[in-house]
Amino acid sequence: MNSTALNANNGAATLTREKQSILKQPKAVWAVAGASVFAFMGIGLVDPILPAIAENLQATPSQVSLLFTSYFLITAIAMLVTGFVSSRIGGKRTLLLGLAVIVVFATLSGLSGTVDALVGFRAGWGLGNALFVATALAVMVGVASGGAATAVILYEAALGLGLSLGPLMGALLGGWKWQAPFFGTAAAMAIAFILIMVLLPKTQSPAVRTRLRDPLLALGHKGLRTTAGSALFYNYGFFTILAFVPFILGFDAYGIGAVFFGWGVAVAVFSVFVAPIVQRRFGAVGALTASLVGLAVILVGMAMAAGQSVTTVVVLTVVSGALLGINNTLFTEMAMAVSDSPRPVASAGYNFVRWMGGALAPFLAAQIAEHSNASVTFYVAAAMVVVSAGVIVGGRKFLVAHEPAGV
């Protein structure tokens, strides 16, 4: 048998094993994945009700965008302490603590009477989100069969599913009353709390406790720093789409929810089924660079369509989900494997940097539109994504260890 045929057979066998390992997981993995879906629903939950919140609380789009900014800013900062906490009380207790915090602050968000109070409670929600999200991936890597790559795919599948179901739930409940999605999230997270408590075995605390400065020290690795820096600019583009598009569609909660449900489905499908294929074919660096350039092109298209064609904006929004799904999986897997730091520490350092992009984009996007127009908002986002691709290309030599053989 020649080498080409042998390589093809090996690739097919590897793909078969990966598919089997993804499906055959312990109950604990599915419990964490299911809870992660509920957690990620909280990100896009407010999307369909942003205009309704602005109307009912007499707030401007930039003020309402602070719901995302406060959430992701606290999430980013709290990432630095997640490892410190989980290494002392264990992964399971950290997950439960994060879920409990989300339940409390989601409930308080639904009881808010002013936009300032709502922004503050979303910040508390971000603390719970950080404790859960950072720990969930590390726990899944530890208990999943099939290794870290399988855990990342399942994690990103949960992300995509949560991003698609969040706007849907926000629309269905928000169409009735804008506070209802917050109470719905509190109930969902309470269910997730029970799932984790019952199905996830007690996790052992690491032999070495994580120090508060360890995630920042991990960023001293040039490969991880390159990945995180690129993800910072990429997330600016990501959350410009998520947080700003609802304001220019002119749809009600149901319409916005439908658009972002389709967007989230695209994120989920391409993160699970397409990202591994393009990574094997082109390598993580090549695939990520091409996908980022494609996203920048879509953002330019949205800039040209803003104020001209709502249909085009809708189509490009849904299509962008495909590239976002690919990027999310490639970024996460690269961050988990590119450095020699323990995975929870590397994840915390990486997420600290990348979530800053999620914190900056919603507020700046709305501010730019208020002082100029929507087209400029998307042009700026496109430029940020181009910078993201440039960081990957510029730091390619620090990422080559992540390339498959032969690329």
Side-chain angles (χ1 to χ4, degrees):
M1 182 181 294
N2 60 40
S3 60
T4 301
L6 181 61
N7 288 337
N9 288 337
N10 288 339
T14 299
L15 183 59
T16 300
R17 288 194 299 271
E18 286 178 356
K19 289 181 178 178
Q20 291 174 342
S21 65
I22 289 175
L23 295 176
K24 296 181 180 180
Q25 298 295 331
K27 290 181 180 178
V29 174
W30 296 117
V32 177
S36 298
V37 171
F38 289 135
F40 288 125
M41 284 171 65
I43 295 177
L45 175 84
V46 299
D47 244 37
I49 56 174
L50 287 175
I53 292 174
E55 180 180 351
N56 282 275
L57 298 182
Q58 298 180 338
T60 65
S62 60
Q63 287 177 313
V64 174
S65 72
L66 290 174
L67 293 176
F68 284 105
T69 295
S70 65
Y71 179 84
F72 288 119
L73 180 61
I74 298 302
T75 295
I77 296 172
M79 286 293 175
L80 298 178
V81 303
T82 54
F84 178 87
V85 174
S86 64
S87 66
R88 284 160 175 77
I89 68 174
K92 180 176 181 177
R93 290 179 178 175
T94 305
L95 291 176
L96 293 175
L97 175 61
L99 290 171
V101 171
I102 295 174
V103 169
V104 170
F105 282 99
T107 302
L108 291 173
S109 295
L111 297 173
S112 299
T114 67
V115 69
D116 291 338
L118 185 54
V119 168
F121 292 138
R122 279 283 286 182
W125 190 337
L127 172 61
N129 181 66
L131 289 169
F132 180 86
V133 169
T135 310
L137 180 55
V139 170
M140 289 178 69
V141 169
V143 299
S145 60
T150 298
V152 168
I153 291 174
L154 289 171
Y155 179 83
E156 292 300 333
L159 170 61
L161 192 57
L163 287 176
S164 63
L165 293 178
L168 186 62
M169 186 174 80
L172 294 176
L173 296 178
W176 167 53
K177 195 174 184 181
W178 72 263
Q179 296 96 332
F182 297 109
F183 295 127
T185 298
M189 301 313 285
I191 295 172
F193 184 97
I194 295 171
L195 288 174
I196 295 294
M197 185 169 58
V198 173
L199 297 178
L200 181 65
K202 181 180 179 181
T203 56
Q204 298 296 322
S205 300
V208 179
R209 292 184 173 183
T210 301
R211 300 167 298 179
L212 288 174
R213 64 179 181 274
D214 284 349
L216 294 176
L217 294 176
L219 291 170
H221 186 280
K222 293 179 179 179
L224 184 61
R225 189 166 67 244
T226 298
T227 304
S230 178
L232 168 69
F233 293 101
Y234 158 67
N235 269 273
Y236 186 97
F238 183 113
F239 287 100
T240 294
I241 295 173
L242 181 63
F244 181 69
V245 168
F247 287 110
I248 66 170
L249 292 178
F251 295 167
D252 61 11
Y254 299 110
I256 297 172
V259 171
F260 279 93
F261 174 72
W263 172 84
V265 169
V267 172
V269 170
F270 277 75
S271 65
V272 176
F273 298 106
V274 180
I277 295 174
V278 298
Q279 180 177 355
R280 281 192 297 270
R281 177 66 179 83
F282 302 105
V285 173
L288 189 55
T289 302
S291 187
L292 287 169
V293 171
L295 179 60
V297 171
I298 286 178
L299 284 164
V300 170
M302 295 174 77
M304 297 173 67
Q308 304 295 324
S309 173
V310 173
T311 301
T312 301
V313 172
V314 168
V315 171
L316 291 177
T317 297
V318 174
V319 172
S320 74
L323 297 178
L324 295 172
I326 294 172
N327 291 336
N328 287 347
T329 295
L330 296 181
F331 268 120
T332 302
E333 187 174 336
M334 188 179 292
M336 296 294 284
V338 76
S339 76
D340 52 3
S341 297
R343 289 192 179 101
V345 174
S347 176
Y350 163 74
N351 280 296
F352 165 67
V353 176
R354 75 150 174 165
W355 285 122
M356 285 296 180
L360 292 172
F363 180 72
L364 291 180
Q367 281 284 304
I368 291 170
E370 288 173 8
H371 289 85
S372 54
N373 56 60
S375 294
V376 176
T377 292
F378 288 117
Y379 281 127
V380 171
M384 292 292 188
V385 174
V386 170
V387 172
S388 175
V391 172
I392 289 293
V393 173
R396 182 187 181 93
K397 65 180 180 180
F398 306 123
L399 306 172
V400 290
H402 208 63
E403 296 277 17
V407 175

